[in-house]
């Protein structure tokens, strides 16, 4: 059977107002363009049968011409979309499903009555500006700027995005163009198609923060492949929470985006021996910068929503409490604005484009890297040893050393979550739960110092500062005590990873020959 035609494109969502700058930005500046207006209608059954089967059916008008398109489920990783696509010109705004014989649409249950059940589920209205680029001999790209809106029922969503479609050549040329654009424009990779966003819009469902999803590595043997799969899951979590950070006041979106970046950085550290030298250098510093900006916002969110109300209630002065809370909320809003500026920034977008490029480059681990099962056990053993050494001296650790121990525990917890599918699930779950408890207890002790610094930033009265110092000192002692017990419980959990293979014993030397009766005597010393 002939393979279906495939669409390969990179989607980039522009920050509001950036579309006006696209035409004057390299590599598009000075290149001839073509501008069209189009309207597209997407169809599905009332029960969304096509969507459940990963299919999208579209009828689009460009000028006076109409085209019918079917897109099937493919791969979408960090904004790079690869999917089968069938497209035909049609004489007018009428769907002729017979044109899609031999496609997954014809193989759906009830395909013979599908034409009677289809209804419009989404309308898109766009102005599209196209540029044709030939970055290198034998390569061709279409860069399309779409400015318009999605209409689903009575709801609409404005959209400004760039699509870079690879017409000829490797996908790397699309990323070359994307990086050049991202160096100037505020944009970021978009993992969802227009149809997917439109269907979400049509449900009128409120967006919810997205937590980390488990990653199944049972079919993976190579550590680098595992690293790419885990990193892709971390990026998916990050991208799922970006819009919530920008558009919602729910503090959990910031938390989950920060967690996603933190997990991504931990995964890169965990698998660094399975990656080539300098593979992650193009985006490592930018991920650290973005995580730090989100971390400052998260600190103020927790301080305002949890820590400060408890402190005020313990202090008992309502007037002082109201004043402190008012100033703290102003700082929280400043931190939230900074977090949003981070996500909208060209620096963040460029980092995510570079991460997406890295994820699009599969390949084996460096020569000499152990298979994944052995690699995973070795990394988990190493992390456990480091924690055990610090935990053994826990009573002598100061606040800075306890903070470093917390980081080690957090990394070990992430490693267990990343690699857990390779081992027995119940034992892994208990181990992760114990590490999480130790991390939380160490966090409570560490956060007291940060919270006291936040109190001092709010111009409190001397009496409130003294009360806060004592209150946080008591909480810190409780956190230290809880951390010691949690570390002890975690140390008692059975190890689920494989033991280190014993080095083979060297062969015994052959026994010395015994002189026979006719053997000459040994030479004199």
């Amino acid at each position: 059977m002939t393979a279906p035609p495939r669409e390969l494109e990179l989607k980039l969502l522009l920050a509001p107002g950036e579309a006006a700058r696209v035409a004057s930005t390299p590599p598009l500046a000075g290149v001839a363009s073509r501008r069209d207006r189009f309207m597209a209608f997407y169809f599905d059954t009332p029960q969304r049968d096509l969507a459940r089967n990963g299919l999208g059916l579209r009828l689009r008008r460009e000028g006076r011409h109409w085209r019918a398109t079917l897109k099937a489920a493919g791969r979408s990783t960090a904004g790079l979309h690869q999917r089968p696509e069938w497209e035909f010109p049609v004489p007018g705004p009428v769907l002729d499903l017979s044109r899609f014989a031999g496609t997954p649409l014809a193989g759906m249950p009830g395909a013979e009555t599908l034409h009677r059940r289809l209804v419009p589920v989404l309308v898109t209205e766009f102005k599209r500006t196209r540029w044709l680029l030939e970055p290198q001999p034998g390569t061709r790209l279409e860069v399309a700027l779409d400015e318009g809106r999605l209409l689903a029922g009575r709801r609409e969503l404005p959209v400004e995005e760039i699509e870079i479609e690879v017409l000829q050549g490797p996908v790397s040329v699309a990323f070359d163009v994307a990086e050049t654009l991202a160096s100037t424009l505020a944009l970021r990779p978009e993992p969802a198609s227009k149809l997917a966003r439109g269907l979400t819009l049509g449900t009128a469902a409120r967006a919810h923060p997205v937590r980390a999803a488990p990653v199944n590595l049972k079919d993976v043997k190579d550590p680098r492949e595992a690293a790419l799969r885990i990193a892709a899951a971390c990026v998916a979590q990050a991208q799922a929470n970006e819009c919530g950070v920008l558009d919602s006041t729910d503090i959990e979106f910031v938390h989950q985006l920060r967690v996603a970046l933190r997990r991504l950085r931990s995964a890169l550290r965990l698998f660094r021996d399975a990656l080539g030298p300098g593979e992650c250098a193009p985006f490592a510093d930018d991920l650290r910068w973005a995580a730090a900006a989100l971390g400052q916002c998260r600190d103020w969110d927790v301080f305002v929503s949890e820590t400060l109300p408890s402190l005020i209630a313990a202090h008992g002065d309502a007037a002082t409490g109201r004043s402190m809370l008012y100033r703290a909320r102003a700082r929280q809003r400043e931190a939230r604005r900074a977090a949003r500026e981070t996500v909208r920034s060209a620096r963040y977008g460029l980092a995510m484009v570079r991460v997406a490029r890295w994820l699009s480059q599969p390949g084996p681990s460096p020569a000499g890297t152990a298979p994944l099962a052995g690699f995973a056990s070795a990394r988990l053993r190493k992390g456990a040893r480091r924690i055990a050494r610090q935990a053994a001296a826990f009573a002598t650790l100061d606040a800075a050393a306890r903070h470093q121990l917390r980081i080690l525990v957090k990394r070990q917890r992430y490693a267990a979550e990343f690699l857990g599918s390779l081992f027995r699930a119940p034992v892994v779950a208990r181990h992760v739960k114990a590490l999480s408890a130790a991390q939380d207890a160490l966090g409570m002790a560490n956060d007291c110092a940060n919270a006291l610094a936040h109190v001092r930033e709010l111009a409190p009265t001397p009496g409130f500062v003294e009360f806060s110092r004592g209150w946080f000192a008591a909480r810190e002692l409780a956190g230290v005590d809880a951390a010691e017990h949690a570390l002890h419980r975690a140390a008692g959990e059975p190890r689920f990873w494989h033991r280190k293979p014993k080095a083979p014993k060297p062969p015994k030397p052959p026994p010395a020959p015994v002189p026979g009766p006719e053997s000459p005597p040994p030479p004199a010393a």
Side-chain angles (χ1 to χ4, degrees):
M1 176 181 288
T2 304
R6 299 188 69 84
E7 178 187 53
L8 177 59
E9 68 180 13
L10 182 60
K11 285 184 177 291
L12 305 168
L13 192 65
L14 289 159
E18 287 291 84
R21 303 175 52 218
V22 171
S24 60
T25 301
L28 305 179
V31 179
S33 63
R34 192 183 93 193
R35 181 171 293 184
D36 299 295
R37 289 189 177 275
F38 66 81
M39 176 180 289
F41 301 88
Y42 291 82
F43 296 86
D44 205 337
T45 67
Q47 294 75 32
R48 301 296 185 264
D49 293 314
L50 271 68
R52 283 203 304 270
N53 284 273
L55 300 175
L57 183 60
R58 181 183 72 198
L59 192 62
R60 187 165 76 189
R61 185 186 70 189
E62 297 185 38
R64 297 179 180 179
H65 303 287
W66 290 84
R67 300 186 74 84
T69 304
L70 175 70
K71 297 187 181 187
R75 294 179 54 196
S76 176
T77 305
L80 180 65
H81 300 254
Q82 305 177 62
R83 55 201 168 193
E85 178 185 71
W86 297 264
E87 190 169 69
F88 307 99
V90 292
V94 178
L95 275 174
D96 180 3
L97 300 189
S98 66
R99 301 295 301 273
F100 298 103
T103 72
L105 189 69
M108 284 181 52
E112 64 280 358
T113 62
L114 185 60
H115 63 286
R116 296 199 296 266
R117 293 181 287 125
L118 290 177
V119 295
V121 293
L122 173 67
V123 178
T124 63
E125 297 176 348
F126 279 91
K127 177 180 68 178
R128 169 166 287 185
T129 308
R130 292 185 176 100
W131 294 264
L132 285 176
L133 302 180
E134 295 185 5
Q136 305 165 13
T139 65
R140 286 191 307 122
L141 302 174
E142 180 184 86
V143 180
L145 167 64
D146 287 345
E147 302 169 81
R149 59 180 182 165
L150 309 179
L151 300 166
R154 296 183 179 181
R155 300 171 64 84
E156 69 175 72
L157 177 70
V159 174
E160 296 180 0
E161 70 179 24
I162 293 173
E163 295 179 354
I164 306 175
E165 184 173 0
V166 180
L167 304 177
Q168 183 181 2
V171 70
S172 60
V173 295
F175 280 107
D176 291 340
V177 172
E179 285 196 35
T180 304
L181 292 169
S183 298
T184 305
L185 300 170
L187 54 78
R188 63 184 191 275
E190 172 53 66
S193 66
K194 289 184 179 72
L195 175 59
R197 282 174 278 166
L199 291 176
T200 301
L201 178 68
T203 63
R206 181 185 172 193
H208 294 283
V210 176
R211 296 178 175 272
V215 180
N216 189 348
L217 301 177
K218 290 182 179 179
D219 61 332
V220 180
K221 303 298 181 185
D222 183 76
R224 188 176 185 278
E225 182 183 348
L228 292 174
R229 187 174 295 190
I230 291 168
C234 296
V235 171
Q237 183 194 4
Q239 292 178 324
N241 288 289
E242 288 170 348
C243 286
V245 172
L246 297 174
D247 302 328
S248 171
T249 58
D250 188 340
I251 64 175
E252 190 65 12
F253 283 107
V254 171
H255 178 48
Q256 292 304 324
L257 177 53
R258 181 194 180 205
V259 166
L261 296 183
R262 202 165 58 182
R263 287 170 63 88
L264 175 57
R265 296 180 61 224
S266 289
L268 299 179
R269 173 184 289 271
L270 178 68
F271 285 93
R272 61 188 171 189
D273 293 340
L275 304 176
E279 266 195 63
C280 303
F283 50 81
D285 288 343
D286 293 330
L287 292 180
R288 186 181 302 110
W289 161 79
L294 293 165
Q296 292 176 9
C297 182
R298 175 62 179 171
D299 288 347
W300 278 106
D301 285 342
V302 172
F303 181 73
V304 170
S305 63
E306 299 176 16
T307 308
L308 186 56
S310 299
L311 174 60
I312 290 171
H315 183 251
D317 186 335
T320 298
R322 285 194 297 271
S323 175
M324 294 289 291
L325 198 55
Y326 176 82
R327 291 194 287 271
R329 285 173 176 159
R331 290 298 184 92
Q332 182 188 27
R333 288 192 294 271
E334 292 174 7
R336 174 59 60 88
R337 282 193 293 271
R340 287 172 174 160
E341 289 171 4
T342 296
V343 176
R344 287 195 187 102
S345 69
R347 182 177 182 181
Y348 177 85
L350 179 58
M352 297 305 281
V353 168
R354 287 173 170 168
V355 172
R357 177 196 280 268
W358 174 66
L359 291 173
S360 73
Q361 300 170 335
S365 299
T369 306
L372 180 58
F375 180 93
S377 291
R379 298 300 296 174
L380 290 164
R381 281 196 305 269
K382 183 178 180 179
R385 285 197 303 267
R386 295 182 68 185
I387 293 172
R389 284 196 297 266
Q390 294 275 38
F394 186 78
T396 66
L397 301 182
D398 59 13
R402 289 196 300 269
H403 177 60
Q404 291 303 313
L405 176 56
R406 180 194 183 193
I407 292 174
L408 292 178
V409 170
K410 176 186 65 181
R411 289 174 180 166
Q412 183 72 353
R413 175 194 149 205
Y414 287 160
E417 290 174 343
F418 291 149
L419 303 168
S421 62
L422 302 173
F423 305 95
R424 291 176 55 220
V427 184
V428 174
R430 288 198 300 269
H431 206 86
V432 168
K433 184 177 180 180
L435 289 171
S436 182
Q439 180 185 337
D440 289 344
L442 288 164
M444 186 174 83
N446 178 71
D447 292 346
C448 289
N450 293 336
L452 183 59
H454 284 340
V455 168
R456 290 193 170 111
E457 290 183 50
L458 302 177
T461 63
F464 193 85
V465 173
E466 287 305 311
F467 179 84
S468 300
R469 184 181 290 112
W471 192 78
F472 284 124
R475 285 172 61 90
E476 182 178 6
L477 286 175
V480 169
D481 184 61
E484 188 169 17
H485 286 85
L487 287 167
H488 179 74
R489 287 195 300 271
E493 289 293 332
R495 301 297 189 249
F496 58 85
W497 50 86
H498 304 149
R499 295 180 180 275
K500 184 177 181 179
K502 293 182 178 180
K505 294 182 179 180
K508 294 182 178 180
V514 178
E518 297 181 359
S519 299

